[in-house]
Amino acid sequence: MDDEDEVTTADDRRLTTPPLPPLLVLAVVGLLAGFVTIGMVWLSERGCERFRDTSNCGAWGFPLLVLTVVVTVVLGALALSRLGLPHPRLVAFLGVGFMLLVVLAFLTEHLFTTWTLVVVPVLTAVTFLLAHLLAGLLERADA
């Protein structure tokens, strides 16, 4: 079997699916990034409760927040790049950053309610869409 036969059999095994609309992909990845953020914050709180006997992480709070943001940006960028969207790192960074700014500015008092399980992922989906729009505008302005 030569190299050409191996490529053909690998292509035959690959599923062909119609491409998804980019805005749908952005919204879904944004939703998933929001759920990752909520999950990591929840895990941080449980870890602080276990080791400090309080949900307040004290001096560990800021490093855990930075870790949450970094993990969410990396996973979002990886998903966007695997799905073939342009500027995946910029969109993930801006999307998570915008979400964090809105949450810290307007939702800090209400973070530990059950409705944040819906609001934060939806907000992150919207901020990913806005970040994609901004990245497109920056690309056009640069050309």
Side-chain angles (χ1 to χ4, degrees):
M1 191 186 244
D2 59 354
D3 290 335
E4 187 176 314
D5 290 337
E6 289 178 20
V7 171
T8 304
T9 57
D11 287 341
D12 291 341
R13 284 182 271 155
R14 189 177 311 155
L15 294 175
T16 56
T17 60
L20 296 174
L23 296 180
L24 177 64
V25 171
L26 284 163
V28 169
V29 171
L31 279 171
L32 294 175
F35 284 121
V36 166
T37 302
I38 288 173
M40 288 197 62
V41 167
W42 183 81
L43 286 173
S44 297
E45 287 179 355
R46 298 298 84 75
C48 290
E49 282 179 0
R50 181 169 174 90
F51 294 110
R52 295 187 50 158
D53 293 327
T54 179
S55 62
N56 181 357
C57 293
W60 285 98
F62 184 71
L64 288 172
L65 178 62
V66 170
L67 177 67
T68 299
V69 169
V70 168
V71 167
T72 305
V73 168
V74 168
L75 290 177
L78 183 64
L80 292 174
S81 68
R82 293 285 181 171
L83 294 169
L85 289 172
H87 314 294
R89 292 183 298 263
L90 178 63
V91 170
F93 177 76
L94 290 176
V96 172
F98 292 159
M99 177 271 299
L100 185 63
L101 287 175
V102 171
V103 166
L104 291 175
F106 301 110
L107 303 175
T108 305
E109 300 293 323
H110 309 287
L111 277 181
F112 301 106
T113 59
T114 55
W115 63 270
T116 53
L117 293 174
V118 174
V119 171
V120 172
V122 170
L123 175 65
T124 310
V126 170
T127 59
F128 266 59
L129 291 167
L130 290 174
H132 175 70
L133 175 68
L134 183 60
L137 290 173
L138 289 173
E139 182 179 41
R140 280 187 226 121
D142 199 28

